[in-house]
Amino acid sequence: MNPTTLGSRPLSDSRVPRRCRTGLLLAALVVWTATGAAREPVAVLDEPPPAPAEIELVEPAQSGAGIRAETAALETALAERRRAVAELRRRLDELNKRLTRLTSEYEGLRQRLGTAGLDLSGEFASLLRRRLDRLQSQHFDADLLASVQSQIEAARIEQFRLEELAAGLSQAEDGADRRAELIAELGDAVDEYIGLLNDYFRVSRAMRERIGDYQALLRERLFWLPSAPTADRDTAMDVLRSWGWLANPGQWRTTAAALPGSMRANAGSLLLLSLLLAGLLASRGWFRRRLTDSAADIGRVERDRFTATLAALGCTVVLSLPWPVALILADRTLAGTDGFGRALGAGLGDAAFVFLLLSFLFNLARRDGLAARHFRWGERVLRAIRLDAPSLLLILAPATVLTALTEAPVGEQYRDSLGRATFAVASIALAWFAHAILRAVEREAGDRIAAWLRGLRVVAVALPVALTAFALYGYHYTAVQLESTLFLTACWLVAVIILHHLALRALAIRERRLALARRREQRETERTMSASREAAESAGEGMPATVDEPGMDLQAINTQTQTLLRLLVGVVAVAGLLALWSDVIPALGILDGVTLWRVAPAIEGAEPVAVSLQDLLLALAVGALTVLAARNLPGMLEVALLSRLRLGPGGSYAATTLGTYAIVIVGTIVALGLIGAQWSKLQWLVAALGVGLGFGLQEIVANFVSGIILLFERPIRVGDTVTVGDKTGTVTRIRIRATTLTDWDRKEQIVPNKTFVTQELTNWTLSDAITRVIIRVGVAYASDIDQVHRVLTDVVERNTKIAGDPPPAVFCVNFGDSSIDFEVRIFVRRMLDIMPLSHEIRSEIARAFREHGIEIPFPQRDIHVRTMIGAVTPMTRGEDDD
């Protein structure tokens, strides 16, 4: 894990290091990139061809003078376009020759390497290394292909305009024939130019691909070959001589003499970097105080914010920038020099990366910093970072500069001596740093993972030592490649660990707030349930003891969020490791070459799709991730999203259920696609299954679909009082097949979801729980109607349980057989208040009528008895005779 090797190769060979730099140098690298710094002199293989002047076309003139002027302009444009065609043909011929030579060289080397295998001498490996350096010092202009494409588009537009102009020409005037000839010749020249541009684009792209293949071949072979002789006493003597070369006053005087010119050439970037450095130094105290103050509200649920952690992270980065910016400033100062000065500047620029990384670690481990207060890292780990990071920096910074000097052409002769010695010293320092940090982590960790951490510490210490031995034995290039990737692996894992703790911090804040909100909601629910239970008891009705709100307890939420977060972090970490190591060890791609089966293509005539062992393993991994994500999604959604939306009863359950369905469906489709299951082949099976399910499991499918409709449309919710058919009760549970109602007798009724979708449904509490109650009462005909109205109105207005909006009302509605009928229309807030409130109102009405002498009449019926003479039954006569 040697950062000193990051500057040991030209830019085109450091694809992975550049990714790490881009991610870690942050503001300093943004400024550095904006200045257009060139770290190594490179040869441009080809630049975009110069675009010819645009052909100026106007409406054809009708007069002789106008025609002659147009003819002269067309002749000039034709000559210009022919020169552009000739120049482009010359460059295309040169590029074709270069591609032919490169292809021949590549194919010849590939055949020789295939014949020789690994039985190659160290001298041959040195030749391969120099050839790789030559290829890496050459590149195409970054805008080459884009520029060629834009020129092709412009030429096609000109071609179209020429065709339109030729179609509108008049042959009436003198010179018109010549003008038509020139337009036709100009059109032919544009056609030829377009064809050459297309060929140029194709050859340029093939040249880039060939260079990439050539470099890959050289890197792959150099990885397994010794690049230097085994270290011996001569190597030690070369190390001593290299110090004399470093102290040579002549090259230092030459570099100093070139500094004024370099500073003038880079004055803009130097001024910008100087201002940035001055600003960082001047504001350093403020950022320290801001870092300390960011932890003031940690633990206070109402005031704690994740933005404070982000602010602490920003302060940590800013506090780590002064030394890296100063080193980049030195690099830009030396950028205009040659030889030793340029190599020295490149080394200082690479040292800026090392300074930034270790400075960030040091500031991360401050006593009142991000790791201690926000992430709650152990004090042993933080103390180890604070003690060992500065010591490591004192070794790595000079080692980085020396490595850059020995890898540059000016110090190439000392690459195998001073370069290897520097590599060995830096590797040993890294091994000690890894030992110290991991030992502290091991002491902080529990016994459950202590053995695993102990094994990791042994590996982390042994790898740099082993690579040092490889380098001294002669495999210096291989050791450099491996240790560079190991170092980037460590950087990536540190970044993933920091992101993990940032996510944990955000989730912890949300969980604490959710716990507080749940406690408040629980107290409110308990008060509501207590009041409802009292109302139910007074009404003589039964109500469910608990309502099964489809939610999750806080322990389940915490477990699921932790599991899903670890899963996501693991996937990100593994993906990054595969991306880093796949370029270094091609054997990692061997699984892709094991074909298990082939799938017929969906398009007729296309090649069959091969399914490899790698695809099968990836499909299994996607399936496992889908299962884990589906199981742990509810907790993450509850913390990250649903708790912010303030959904109504059952809303969280609906969202998590639908999210789980979506994850399962997408994961299944992706996994099947990886193993070659194409939709064109599955659609008939899906259609057949749909028909079978439609006939054989019609009711189950209907209830399933109805359950989804209920989750989307939500005509009923948990806790609602509903009437469907002849069943009335409280919704206590909603599931995907059926819904549970608890009626007033405390009986649970399982109602299929299809019933709620296809039948008439009355939801008493969907949007408003207020219900109207009508109480009818009759008074005697002798009563004063106005007095009765006043008495009834006074009774309902005195009762505080009646809802004030809408207000109660009293009406005389009918003249009955024996009474004048009144209706008292009142509104109650809950259904359970209907019976108790009706009882209270009727009692108050009876009492008020007695006080005011108002009579509630009995029903009156007139009975007429008719006696029929002679209508005596025989039994009656018999009784009389006796």
Side-chain angles (χ1 to χ4, degrees):
M1 297 175 290
N2 193 345
T4 64
T5 60
L6 293 179
S8 63
R9 291 162 292 172
L11 283 179
S12 55
D13 187 31
S14 56
R15 292 175 295 170
V16 177
R18 285 182 65 83
R19 286 201 298 267
C20 188
R21 288 190 190 121
T22 303
L24 294 177
L25 278 181
L26 299 173
L29 279 184
V30 171
V31 174
W32 191 21
T33 304
T35 61
R39 303 292 304 279
E40 293 285 347
V42 293
V44 179
L45 285 176
D46 211 350
E47 296 178 348
E54 182 180 357
I55 302 174
E56 297 183 3
L57 300 175
V58 297
E59 290 295 327
Q62 302 299 323
S63 63
I67 292 176
R68 286 191 294 273
E70 289 181 11
T71 301
L74 289 173
E75 288 176 347
T76 302
L78 178 60
E80 174 67 24
R81 188 52 55 101
R82 284 175 174 170
R83 284 193 295 269
V85 168
E87 173 64 20
L88 184 58
R89 182 179 290 108
R90 183 189 64 80
R91 296 182 61 165
L92 180 60
D93 291 340
E94 291 181 358
L95 193 60
N96 270 317
K97 292 177 183 178
R98 199 177 300 162
L99 177 60
T100 302
R101 288 197 302 268
L102 186 66
T103 301
S104 176
E105 182 181 319
Y106 168 76
E107 293 294 340
L109 179 62
R110 189 165 63 88
Q111 292 177 2
R112 289 194 296 272
L113 291 176
T115 303
L118 297 178
D119 189 16
L120 297 172
S121 64
E123 182 62 27
F124 194 83
S126 299
L127 293 175
L128 292 181
R129 177 68 182 273
R130 284 195 290 271
R131 183 169 293 185
L132 179 61
D133 291 341
R134 173 172 59 83
L135 288 174
Q136 290 168 347
S137 65
Q138 301 171 344
H139 72 93
F140 281 90
D141 190 279
D143 299 328
L144 175 62
L145 297 182
S147 176
V148 173
Q149 285 182 321
S150 63
Q151 289 189 35
I152 291 174
E153 183 65 24
R156 286 173 178 165
I157 294 175
E158 287 183 345
Q159 185 183 40
F160 179 78
R161 294 173 59 193
L162 285 171
E163 292 173 354
E164 292 293 318
L165 184 61
L169 281 178
S170 172
Q171 304 295 327
E173 298 290 338
D174 265 353
D177 291 340
R178 176 58 181 163
R179 183 173 57 178
E181 292 175 0
L182 287 173
I183 291 176
E185 292 177 4
L186 190 56
D188 293 339
V190 172
D191 287 343
E192 185 178 4
Y193 188 72
I194 292 175
L196 290 173
L197 283 175
N198 285 321
D199 293 340
Y200 193 85
F201 182 87
R202 175 182 54 79
V203 175
S204 299
R205 188 164 56 184
M207 187 76 174
R208 284 189 171 188
E209 294 174 355
R210 179 59 66 197
I211 290 176
D213 295 340
Y214 204 167
Q215 291 179 353
L217 175 65
L218 291 172
R219 289 196 194 98
E220 181 179 352
R221 188 48 59 98
L222 282 172
F223 190 83
W224 305 105
L225 293 176
S227 60
T230 303
D232 52 15
R233 188 165 59 180
D234 293 338
T235 305
M237 297 303 298
D238 285 341
V239 172
L240 295 177
R241 284 191 293 270
S242 66
W243 290 108
W245 165 72
L246 288 173
N248 184 8
Q251 57 189 5
W252 287 97
R253 284 195 297 268
T254 303
T255 301
L259 280 180
S262 176
M263 295 176 66
R264 286 193 298 270
N266 300 284
S269 60
L270 292 179
L271 177 60
L272 184 61
L273 287 168
S274 299
L275 293 175
L276 176 61
L277 180 59
L280 291 172
L281 293 176
S283 60
R284 194 170 177 81
W286 185 88
F287 280 106
R288 285 175 178 168
R289 292 190 298 272
R290 184 71 181 87
L291 177 62
T292 302
D293 295 341
S294 65
D297 293 329
I298 292 179
R300 302 177 182 178
V301 180
E302 295 288 346
R303 301 178 59 183
D304 198 359
R305 296 289 186 273
F306 182 63
T307 53
T309 301
L310 294 180
L313 177 63
C315 292
T316 303
V317 173
V318 171
L319 291 174
S320 308
L321 286 178
W323 271 108
V325 173
L327 292 173
I328 293 174
L329 179 62
D331 179 16
R332 296 302 301 137
T333 303
L334 295 167
T337 61
D338 295 325
F340 182 81
R342 179 179 287 273
L344 180 62
L348 293 174
D350 290 336
F353 168 72
V354 178
F355 260 95
L356 179 62
L357 178 63
L358 293 178
S359 297
F360 179 78
L361 283 178
F362 179 81
N363 287 289
L364 188 71
R366 285 177 175 269
R367 287 183 173 84
D368 292 329
L370 185 66
R373 300 295 302 277
H374 296 259
F375 295 164
R376 305 291 185 182
W377 287 7
E379 179 58 29
R380 288 191 182 93
V381 178
L382 299 178
R383 185 167 58 249
I385 294 175
R386 290 195 297 266
L387 291 176
D388 294 316
S391 303
L392 180 64
L393 188 59
L394 290 177
I395 298 175
L396 290 189
T400 305
V401 177
L402 292 177
T403 301
L405 287 171
T406 57
E407 291 292 332
V410 67
E412 185 178 2
Q413 57 181 332
Y414 300 109
R415 176 189 297 170
D416 296 336
S417 55
L418 182 60
R420 280 197 286 181
T422 303
F423 178 84
V425 172
S427 298
I428 298 302
L430 284 169
W432 173 256
F433 183 75
H435 166 73
I437 300 301
L438 291 177
R439 183 179 58 182
V441 174
E442 181 184 338
R443 292 177 177 176
E444 289 284 352
D447 296 335
R448 186 169 56 90
I449 61 172
W452 182 84
L453 288 173
R454 192 175 301 112
L456 178 63
R457 176 160 58 92
V458 172
V459 173
V461 172
L463 279 176
V465 176
L467 291 177
T468 301
F470 283 168
L472 295 178
Y473 188 69
Y475 289 86
H476 181 49
Y477 178 83
T478 303
V480 165
Q481 298 295 315
L482 288 175
E483 193 155 288
S484 297
T485 309
L486 284 172
F487 179 74
L488 292 172
T489 299
C491 295
W492 172 249
L493 293 179
V494 169
V496 169
I497 290 172
I498 293 175
L499 289 176
H500 182 216
H501 281 84
L502 286 173
L504 285 176
R505 166 81 173 131
L507 291 176
I509 294 174
R510 291 301 308 167
E511 286 176 357
R512 285 196 292 269
R513 290 185 181 174
L514 181 60
L516 179 61
R518 285 282 182 91
R519 286 195 293 270
R520 291 174 176 173
E521 292 176 0
Q522 185 177 1
R523 287 195 294 267
E524 182 65 26
T525 301
E526 289 175 354
R527 286 196 297 266
T528 303
M529 291 295 293
S530 177
S532 299
R533 193 171 293 108
E534 292 177 359
E537 291 173 355
S538 61
E541 304 284 3
M543 65 171 295
T546 58
V547 176
D548 183 15
E549 174 70 27
M552 302 172 60
D553 58 20
L554 294 177
Q555 183 62 35
I557 289 175
N558 181 65
T559 302
Q560 291 189 1
T561 53
Q562 296 282 349
T563 302
L564 189 57
L565 182 60
R566 284 195 294 268
L567 177 64
L568 294 175
V569 169
V571 170
V572 171
V574 171
L577 293 178
L578 289 177
L580 288 172
W581 285 94
S582 59
D583 292 338
V584 178
I585 303 179
L588 292 177
I590 193 173
L591 296 178
D592 196 32
V594 180
T595 301
L596 299 179
W597 61 80
R598 295 182 182 275
V599 180
I603 302 175
E604 185 177 355
E607 292 292 330
V609 179
V611 178
S612 64
L613 180 58
Q614 178 177 324
D615 295 330
L616 179 60
L617 295 178
L618 188 58
L620 294 176
V622 170
L625 292 177
T626 300
V627 172
L628 291 174
R631 287 181 177 177
N632 297 284
L633 177 69
M636 180 66 77
L637 278 180
E638 184 72 26
V639 173
L641 180 62
L642 300 178
S643 60
R644 303 173 184 268
L645 299 180
R646 300 182 181 275
L647 299 176
S652 298
Y653 171 72
T656 53
T657 301
L658 295 176
T660 303
Y661 291 162
I663 285 180
V664 171
I665 292 172
V666 172
T668 302
I669 292 175
V670 172
L672 291 177
L674 288 172
I675 60 176
Q678 303 171 1
W679 174 249
S680 59
K681 304 295 178 58
L682 293 177
Q683 57 185 351
W684 304 109
L685 177 61
V686 173
L689 287 175
V691 173
L693 291 174
F695 284 102
L697 301 174
Q698 182 178 4
E699 290 300 322
I700 295 178
V701 173
N703 288 322
F704 175 79
V705 176
S706 299
I708 295 178
I709 293 174
L710 292 178
L711 291 178
F712 271 108
E713 188 177 336
R714 298 185 66 205
I716 59 174
R717 303 163 302 181
V718 173
D720 286 348
T721 300
V722 300
T723 298
V724 54
D726 58 349
K727 303 178 181 66
T728 299
T730 302
V731 179
T732 57
R733 188 179 297 110
I734 299 177
R735 291 295 180 259
I736 199 60
R737 189 197 65 83
T739 297
T740 302
L741 298 183
T742 301
D743 63 11
W744 309 128
D745 297 329
R746 297 286 294 274
K747 296 192 301 292
E748 291 187 336
Q749 302 183 15
I750 310 300
V751 183
N753 290 330
K754 177 183 174 182
T755 306
F756 295 96
V757 176
T758 59
Q759 295 186 14
E760 292 185 0
L761 169 69
T762 300
N763 191 332
W764 299 87
T765 56
L766 178 61
S767 58
D768 189 359
I770 295 178
T771 303
R772 191 178 72 168
V773 177
I774 298 178
I775 299 176
R776 295 178 177 85
V777 62
V779 298
Y781 271 98
S783 304
D784 186 350
I785 293 179
D786 293 335
Q787 181 187 20
V788 173
H789 186 275
R790 285 194 300 272
V791 170
L792 293 177
T793 302
D794 183 60
V795 167
V796 297
E797 287 181 350
R798 287 201 308 267
N799 196 300
T800 58
K801 294 182 180 179
I802 298 175
D805 185 20
V810 178
F811 298 100
C812 178
V813 295
N814 191 26
F815 292 100
D817 294 337
S818 57
S819 64
I820 303 175
D821 297 331
F822 283 81
E823 283 187 1
V824 180
R825 300 180 180 182
I826 59 177
F827 292 87
V828 296
R829 296 183 177 89
R830 294 174 301 178
M831 287 193 64
L832 291 175
D833 289 337
I834 293 177
M835 294 304 295
L837 189 57
S838 298
H839 171 77
E840 290 182 15
I841 295 298
R842 288 189 174 93
S843 300
E844 291 292 333
I845 289 174
R847 188 180 303 111
F849 278 6
R850 284 194 300 271
E851 292 176 357
H852 292 83
I854 300 174
E855 179 185 357
I856 300 177
F858 294 103
Q860 298 180 7
R861 296 288 185 269
D862 292 334
I863 300 175
H864 301 274
V865 179
R866 181 185 299 175
T867 303
M868 297 177 65
I869 301 174
V872 181
T873 62
M875 183 176 290
T876 304
R877 289 198 300 268
E879 291 174 354
D880 291 341
D881 291 341
D882 291 338

